[in-house]
Amino acid sequence: MTPNPPWQEAVGELKSRLARSRKLTVVTGAGISAASGVPTFRGEGGLWRQYRATDLATPEAFRQDPQLVWEFYAWRRELVSQCHPNPAHLAVAAWSRRQPEFTCITQNVDGLHEAAGTRNVVRFHGSLWEMQCAEACRDAPSSWEDRREPLPEMPPRCPYCRGLLRPGVVWFGEAIPSAALQAAQQAVLCDLMVVIGTASQVYPAASLVDAAATHGAYTVEINAETTPATSRVNLALTGPAEQILADL
Ligand code: BV8
Protein backbone atom coordinates (compact mmCIF):
# COMPACT_ATOMS: atom_id res chain seq x y z
CA MET A 1 0.00 0.00 0.00
CA THR A 2 1.70 3.23 -1.11
CA PRO A 3 1.40 5.92 1.60
CA ASN A 4 -1.08 8.67 0.73
CA PRO A 5 0.72 11.70 -0.68
CA PRO A 6 0.89 14.46 1.99
CA TRP A 7 -1.85 16.44 0.25
CA GLN A 8 -4.45 13.60 0.43
CA GLU A 9 -6.34 14.79 3.50
CA ALA A 10 -6.29 18.39 2.29
CA VAL A 11 -7.83 17.40 -1.06
CA GLY A 12 -11.05 16.47 0.77
CA GLU A 13 -11.25 19.91 2.38
CA LEU A 14 -10.62 21.66 -0.93
CA LYS A 15 -13.26 19.52 -2.67
CA SER A 16 -15.92 20.56 -0.15
CA ARG A 17 -14.88 24.21 -0.37
CA LEU A 18 -15.17 24.08 -4.18
CA ALA A 19 -18.64 22.51 -3.92
CA ARG A 20 -19.80 25.34 -1.63
CA SER A 21 -18.09 28.26 -3.37
CA ARG A 22 -20.27 30.90 -5.07
CA LYS A 23 -17.33 32.97 -6.34
CA LEU A 24 -13.99 31.25 -7.05
CA THR A 25 -10.81 33.07 -8.09
CA VAL A 26 -7.70 31.15 -9.17
CA VAL A 27 -4.26 32.82 -9.34
CA THR A 28 -1.60 30.94 -11.30
CA GLY A 29 2.13 31.18 -11.92
CA ALA A 30 4.80 29.38 -13.95
CA GLY A 31 4.47 26.18 -11.88
CA ILE A 32 1.09 25.30 -13.43
CA SER A 33 2.75 25.22 -16.88
CA ALA A 34 5.87 23.31 -15.76
CA ALA A 35 4.29 19.92 -16.60
CA SER A 36 3.59 21.27 -20.11
CA GLY A 37 7.32 21.79 -20.65
CA VAL A 38 7.32 25.58 -20.18
CA PRO A 39 10.39 26.56 -18.10
CA THR A 40 9.61 28.31 -14.80
CA PHE A 41 11.35 31.56 -13.93
CA ARG A 42 13.27 30.47 -10.88
CA GLY A 43 13.63 26.76 -11.46
CA GLU A 44 16.60 25.21 -13.29
CA GLY A 45 14.61 25.47 -16.55
CA GLY A 46 14.40 29.22 -15.99
CA LEU A 47 17.87 29.79 -17.43
CA TRP A 48 18.36 30.87 -21.06
CA ARG A 49 21.90 30.83 -22.35
CA GLN A 50 23.71 32.39 -19.36
CA TYR A 51 20.89 34.83 -18.54
CA ARG A 52 18.13 34.73 -15.95
CA ALA A 53 14.66 35.52 -17.29
CA THR A 54 14.30 38.29 -14.72
CA ASP A 55 17.39 40.04 -16.20
CA LEU A 56 15.83 40.09 -19.67
CA ALA A 57 12.19 40.89 -18.79
CA THR A 58 12.90 44.62 -18.29
CA PRO A 59 12.54 47.78 -20.43
CA GLU A 60 16.21 48.59 -19.70
CA ALA A 61 17.37 45.27 -21.21
CA PHE A 62 15.19 45.94 -24.27
CA ARG A 63 16.51 49.48 -24.69
CA GLN A 64 20.09 48.27 -24.30
CA ASP A 65 19.88 45.25 -26.60
CA PRO A 66 16.52 44.76 -28.36
CA GLN A 67 17.99 41.97 -30.53
CA LEU A 68 19.02 39.91 -27.45
CA VAL A 69 15.67 40.44 -25.69
CA TRP A 70 13.82 39.52 -28.89
CA GLU A 71 15.94 36.34 -29.24
CA PHE A 72 14.83 35.43 -25.69
CA TYR A 73 11.15 36.00 -26.49
CA ALA A 74 11.39 34.35 -29.93
CA TRP A 75 12.92 31.31 -28.14
CA ARG A 76 10.04 31.26 -25.65
CA ARG A 77 7.40 31.72 -28.41
CA GLU A 78 8.89 28.84 -30.37
CA LEU A 79 9.12 26.63 -27.26
CA VAL A 80 5.60 27.45 -26.02
CA SER A 81 4.10 26.92 -29.50
CA GLN A 82 5.02 23.20 -29.02
CA CYS A 83 3.50 23.02 -25.51
CA HIS A 84 0.00 21.88 -24.64
CA PRO A 85 -2.23 22.35 -21.58
CA ASN A 86 -1.59 19.74 -18.86
CA PRO A 87 -4.12 18.17 -16.42
CA ALA A 88 -3.74 21.13 -14.06
CA HIS A 89 -4.83 23.59 -16.78
CA LEU A 90 -7.69 21.25 -17.74
CA ALA A 91 -8.91 21.05 -14.12
CA VAL A 92 -8.95 24.86 -13.83
CA ALA A 93 -10.81 25.05 -17.18
CA ALA A 94 -13.43 22.60 -15.81
CA TRP A 95 -13.83 24.77 -12.68
CA SER A 96 -14.31 27.81 -14.93
CA ARG A 97 -17.26 26.10 -16.61
CA ARG A 98 -18.81 24.66 -13.45
CA GLN A 99 -18.39 27.30 -10.75
CA PRO A 100 -21.17 29.93 -10.52
CA GLU A 101 -18.67 32.82 -10.71
CA PHE A 102 -15.06 32.28 -11.80
CA THR A 103 -11.93 34.28 -12.63
CA CYS A 104 -8.45 32.96 -13.46
CA ILE A 105 -5.80 35.62 -12.87
CA THR A 106 -2.63 34.29 -14.47
CA GLN A 107 0.92 35.63 -14.24
CA ASN A 108 1.84 33.33 -17.12
CA VAL A 109 2.23 34.71 -20.65
CA ASP A 110 2.10 31.30 -22.41
CA GLY A 111 -1.63 31.32 -23.29
CA LEU A 112 -2.12 27.73 -22.04
CA HIS A 113 -5.14 28.58 -19.86
CA GLU A 114 -6.92 29.95 -22.95
CA ALA A 115 -5.79 26.90 -24.96
CA ALA A 116 -7.36 24.67 -22.25
CA GLY A 117 -10.71 26.47 -22.74
CA THR A 118 -10.66 28.34 -19.43
CA ARG A 119 -13.35 31.04 -19.15
CA ASN A 120 -12.58 34.56 -17.88
CA VAL A 121 -8.77 34.57 -17.91
CA VAL A 122 -7.11 37.80 -16.72
CA ARG A 123 -3.64 38.10 -18.28
CA PHE A 124 -2.02 39.96 -15.36
CA HIS A 125 1.39 40.10 -17.07
CA GLY A 126 0.29 40.15 -20.71
CA SER A 127 0.98 37.49 -23.35
CA LEU A 128 3.84 36.19 -25.53
CA TRP A 129 1.30 36.17 -28.36
CA GLU A 130 0.55 39.90 -28.16
CA MET A 131 2.59 42.56 -29.98
CA GLN A 132 2.96 46.27 -29.28
CA CYS A 133 4.70 49.05 -31.18
CA ALA A 134 7.71 49.91 -28.97
CA GLU A 135 7.36 53.52 -30.17
CA ALA A 136 3.62 53.46 -29.37
CA CYS A 137 3.10 55.07 -32.80
CA ARG A 138 -0.25 56.71 -33.33
CA ASP A 139 -1.39 54.43 -36.20
CA ALA A 140 -0.80 51.16 -34.32
CA PRO A 141 -3.43 49.69 -31.97
CA SER A 142 -2.29 49.53 -28.31
CA SER A 143 -1.60 45.81 -28.82
CA TRP A 144 -2.58 43.02 -31.20
CA GLU A 145 -2.32 39.24 -31.43
CA ASP A 146 0.55 37.90 -33.55
CA ARG A 147 1.01 34.14 -33.59
CA ARG A 148 3.43 34.05 -36.56
CA GLU A 149 5.99 31.35 -35.73
CA PRO A 150 8.84 31.97 -36.57
CA LEU A 151 8.69 35.75 -36.74
CA PRO A 152 9.30 37.09 -40.27
CA GLU A 153 12.24 39.29 -39.21
CA MET A 154 14.39 39.79 -36.11
CA PRO A 155 13.85 42.07 -34.35
CA PRO A 156 10.27 42.36 -35.69
CA ARG A 157 9.20 45.79 -36.93
CA CYS A 158 5.98 47.73 -36.58
CA PRO A 159 3.88 47.47 -39.77
CA TYR A 160 2.61 51.02 -39.14
CA CYS A 161 5.85 52.97 -38.51
CA ARG A 162 8.66 50.42 -39.15
CA GLY A 163 9.89 51.12 -35.61
CA LEU A 164 10.67 48.21 -33.28
CA LEU A 165 7.92 45.94 -32.00
CA ARG A 166 7.96 44.67 -28.41
CA PRO A 167 6.28 41.63 -26.87
CA GLY A 168 2.92 42.43 -25.25
CA VAL A 169 4.15 41.42 -21.80
CA VAL A 170 4.52 43.45 -18.58
CA TRP A 171 8.23 43.83 -17.80
CA PHE A 172 9.66 44.34 -14.30
CA GLY A 173 9.23 47.99 -13.42
CA GLU A 174 6.19 48.35 -15.70
CA ALA A 175 2.67 48.86 -14.41
CA ILE A 176 0.08 46.09 -14.62
CA PRO A 177 -2.41 47.02 -17.41
CA SER A 178 -5.29 48.96 -15.81
CA ALA A 179 -7.95 46.63 -17.24
CA ALA A 180 -6.22 43.62 -15.65
CA LEU A 181 -5.77 45.47 -12.37
CA GLN A 182 -9.44 46.44 -12.26
CA ALA A 183 -10.55 42.88 -13.09
CA ALA A 184 -8.29 41.59 -10.30
CA GLN A 185 -9.69 44.09 -7.81
CA GLN A 186 -13.15 42.65 -8.48
CA ALA A 187 -11.94 39.04 -8.50
CA VAL A 188 -10.38 39.25 -5.02
CA LEU A 189 -13.92 39.86 -3.66
CA CYS A 190 -14.44 36.07 -3.73
CA ASP A 191 -15.29 33.42 -1.14
CA LEU A 192 -12.51 31.04 -2.25
CA MET A 193 -9.09 31.80 -3.75
CA VAL A 194 -6.80 29.01 -4.98
CA VAL A 195 -3.20 30.05 -5.76
CA ILE A 196 -1.43 27.53 -7.98
CA GLY A 197 2.24 27.20 -9.03
CA THR A 198 3.72 30.52 -8.03
CA ALA A 199 6.72 31.36 -5.84
CA SER A 200 4.65 34.34 -4.64
CA GLN A 201 7.64 36.67 -4.96
CA VAL A 202 6.48 38.98 -7.75
CA TYR A 203 4.31 41.95 -6.82
CA PRO A 204 1.62 43.12 -7.00
CA ALA A 205 0.47 39.57 -8.08
CA ALA A 206 1.75 38.07 -4.81
CA SER A 207 -0.50 40.39 -2.79
CA LEU A 208 -3.74 39.12 -4.39
CA VAL A 209 -4.07 36.29 -1.87
CA ASP A 210 -3.80 38.75 1.05
CA ALA A 211 -6.40 41.03 -0.54
CA ALA A 212 -8.76 38.06 -0.89
CA ALA A 213 -8.19 37.01 2.74
CA THR A 214 -8.83 40.58 3.90
CA HIS A 215 -12.24 40.39 2.20
CA GLY A 216 -13.05 37.10 3.96
CA ALA A 217 -12.05 34.56 1.32
CA TYR A 218 -10.83 31.09 2.29
CA THR A 219 -7.37 30.87 0.73
CA VAL A 220 -5.60 27.80 -0.62
CA GLU A 221 -2.09 27.32 -2.06
CA ILE A 222 -1.14 24.42 -4.35
CA ASN A 223 2.62 24.48 -5.00
CA ALA A 224 5.54 22.08 -5.39
CA GLU A 225 7.41 23.79 -2.54
CA THR A 226 6.60 26.11 0.35
CA THR A 227 6.62 29.82 -0.46
CA PRO A 228 6.27 33.10 1.49
CA ALA A 229 2.50 32.66 1.00
CA THR A 230 2.32 29.18 2.56
CA SER A 231 2.08 30.47 6.12
CA ARG A 232 -0.52 33.09 5.13
CA VAL A 233 -3.12 30.78 3.52
CA ASN A 234 -5.83 28.73 5.24
CA LEU A 235 -4.88 25.47 3.44
CA ALA A 236 -1.58 24.53 1.73
CA LEU A 237 -1.23 21.48 -0.53
CA THR A 238 2.46 20.85 -1.28
CA GLY A 239 3.04 18.80 -4.41
CA PRO A 240 2.81 18.85 -8.22
CA ALA A 241 -0.31 20.77 -9.33
CA GLU A 242 -0.95 18.37 -12.22
CA GLN A 243 -1.20 15.44 -9.77
CA ILE A 244 -3.10 17.24 -7.02
CA LEU A 245 -5.67 18.73 -9.41
CA ALA A 246 -6.08 15.38 -11.19
CA ASP A 247 -6.98 13.96 -7.73
CA LEU A 248 -9.67 16.61 -7.37
C1 BV8 B 1 5.25 46.98 -10.84
C2 BV8 B 1 6.03 38.88 -17.84
C3 BV8 B 1 5.20 49.31 -10.47
C4 BV8 B 1 7.31 38.94 -18.61
C5 BV8 B 1 6.61 39.04 -15.46
C6 BV8 B 1 6.16 45.75 -4.32
C7 BV8 B 1 5.02 46.27 -4.91
C8 BV8 B 1 4.98 46.50 -6.28
C9 BV8 B 1 6.09 46.18 -7.08
C10 BV8 B 1 7.20 45.65 -6.49
C11 BV8 B 1 7.25 45.44 -5.12
N1 BV8 B 1 8.46 44.92 -4.84
C12 BV8 B 1 9.18 44.78 -5.97
C13 BV8 B 1 8.46 45.24 -7.00
C14 BV8 B 1 8.91 45.27 -8.39
C15 BV8 B 1 8.60 44.00 -9.15
C16 BV8 B 1 8.76 42.76 -8.34
O1 BV8 B 1 7.79 42.22 -7.81
N2 BV8 B 1 9.99 42.27 -8.27
C17 BV8 B 1 10.24 41.03 -7.58
C18 BV8 B 1 11.33 40.26 -8.34
C19 BV8 B 1 10.66 41.34 -6.16
N3 BV8 B 1 7.26 44.08 -9.68
C20 BV8 B 1 7.09 44.71 -10.85
O2 BV8 B 1 7.98 45.27 -11.46
C21 BV8 B 1 5.68 44.70 -11.41
N4 BV8 B 1 5.34 46.05 -11.76
O3 BV8 B 1 5.33 46.77 -9.68
O4 BV8 B 1 5.10 48.22 -11.36
C22 BV8 B 1 4.71 50.46 -11.22
C23 BV8 B 1 3.49 51.03 -10.85
C24 BV8 B 1 3.07 52.13 -11.55
C25 BV8 B 1 3.81 52.64 -12.62
C26 BV8 B 1 5.01 52.03 -13.00
C27 BV8 B 1 5.47 50.93 -12.30
C28 BV8 B 1 5.59 43.93 -12.72
C29 BV8 B 1 5.94 42.50 -12.49
C30 BV8 B 1 5.66 41.71 -13.77
C31 BV8 B 1 6.95 41.20 -14.35
N5 BV8 B 1 6.66 40.34 -15.51
N6 BV8 B 1 6.27 38.29 -16.52
C32 BV8 B 1 7.76 37.57 -19.03
O5 BV8 B 1 7.14 36.56 -18.66
O6 BV8 B 1 8.77 37.52 -19.76
S1 BV8 B 1 6.92 38.30 -14.00
C33 BV8 B 1 7.30 36.71 -14.32
O7 BV8 B 1 8.01 36.23 -13.22
C34 BV8 B 1 6.10 35.83 -14.42
O8 BV8 B 1 5.01 36.42 -15.07
C35 BV8 B 1 5.80 35.51 -13.00
O9 BV8 B 1 4.93 36.44 -12.44
C36 BV8 B 1 7.15 35.70 -12.35
C37 BV8 B 1 7.67 34.35 -11.98
O10 BV8 B 1 6.97 34.02 -10.89
P1 BV8 B 1 6.27 32.61 -10.78
O11 BV8 B 1 5.16 32.53 -11.75
O12 BV8 B 1 5.98 32.47 -9.35
O13 BV8 B 1 7.35 31.57 -11.28
P2 BV8 B 1 8.60 31.02 -10.46
O14 BV8 B 1 9.46 30.28 -11.43
O15 BV8 B 1 9.20 32.14 -9.66
O16 BV8 B 1 7.95 30.00 -9.43
C38 BV8 B 1 7.30 28.85 -9.91
C39 BV8 B 1 6.73 28.16 -8.70
O17 BV8 B 1 6.05 26.98 -9.16
C40 BV8 B 1 7.80 27.69 -7.74
O18 BV8 B 1 7.41 27.99 -6.41
C41 BV8 B 1 7.86 26.18 -7.95
O19 BV8 B 1 8.14 25.48 -6.76
C42 BV8 B 1 6.46 25.88 -8.39
N7 BV8 B 1 6.33 24.70 -9.24
C43 BV8 B 1 7.21 24.23 -10.16
N8 BV8 B 1 6.67 23.13 -10.75
C44 BV8 B 1 5.45 22.92 -10.19
C45 BV8 B 1 5.22 23.92 -9.23
N9 BV8 B 1 4.10 23.99 -8.48
C46 BV8 B 1 3.17 23.04 -8.71
N10 BV8 B 1 3.31 22.06 -9.62
C47 BV8 B 1 4.42 21.96 -10.38
N11 BV8 B 1 4.54 20.98 -11.27
Side-chain angles (χ1 to χ4, degrees):
M1 155 75 168
T2 51
N4 278 340
W7 66 76
Q8 206 57 37
E9 54 285 357
V11 161
E13 176 63 25
L14 178 51
K15 269 184 186 166
S16 73
R17 294 274 173 179
L18 283 165
R20 281 180 277 149
S21 169
R22 308 303 309 150
K23 182 172 179 182
L24 166 64
T25 296
V26 171
V27 175
T28 64
I32 199 168
S33 295
S36 298
V38 181
T40 64
F41 268 69
R42 288 173 180 75
E44 64 295 333
L47 278 176
W48 176 73
R49 296 193 194 153
Q50 71 279 17
Y51 297 97
R52 291 215 63 79
T54 42
D55 299 335
L56 295 162
T58 70
E60 296 73 28
F62 185 73
R63 255 194 303 281
Q64 194 178 342
D65 192 341
Q67 176 74 22
L68 174 72
V69 172
W70 259 116
E71 284 172 14
F72 171 55
Y73 282 95
W75 170 75
R76 285 173 70 195
R77 284 168 59 105
E78 186 191 354
L79 186 148
V80 170
S81 66
Q82 314 292 322
C83 297
H84 305 287
N86 68 63
H89 293 111
L90 298 177
V92 170
W95 293 352
S96 77
R97 289 189 294 272
R98 192 185 59 218
Q99 298 294 126
E101 212 178 326
F102 177 91
T103 306
C104 175
I105 303 171
T106 187
Q107 301 174 81
N108 300 337
V109 296
D110 55 34
L112 291 181
H113 281 302
E114 296 90 332
T118 309
R119 285 180 32 240
N120 203 17
V121 176
V122 176
R123 296 173 171 178
F124 209 61
H125 292 157
S127 170
L128 281 176
W129 306 113
E130 291 281 316
M131 278 298 182
Q132 294 168 347
C133 173
E135 324 297 329
C137 73
R138 79 167 181 280
D139 297 331
S142 57
S143 77
W144 62 94
E145 178 151 312
D146 179 339
R147 286 200 172 257
R148 290 174 300 171
E149 195 26 63
L151 288 162
E153 59 183 326
M154 280 294 279
R157 294 217 158 257
C158 174
Y160 301 92
C161 71
R162 292 302 298 162
L164 282 174
L165 287 180
R166 59 161 286 174
V169 299
V170 179
W171 279 327
F172 287 99
E174 293 187 319
I176 306 300
S178 54
L181 218 44
Q182 281 157 25
Q185 278 156 355
Q186 283 308 309
V188 297
L189 305 176
C190 54
D191 57 54
L192 179 60
M193 176 173 278
V194 184
V195 179
I196 307 172
T198 177
S200 291
Q201 309 210 7
V202 173
Y203 285 82
S207 62
L208 294 171
V209 68
D210 305 301
T214 304
H215 292 289
Y218 186 86
T219 54
V220 181
E221 179 189 54
I222 297 174
N223 204 61
E225 63 189 0
T226 56
T227 74
T230 308
S231 60
R232 308 197 315 257
V233 295
N234 297 110
L235 183 69
L237 294 84
T238 305
E242 61 280 7
Q243 284 178 40
I244 294 174
L245 292 178
D247 277 3
L248 277 170

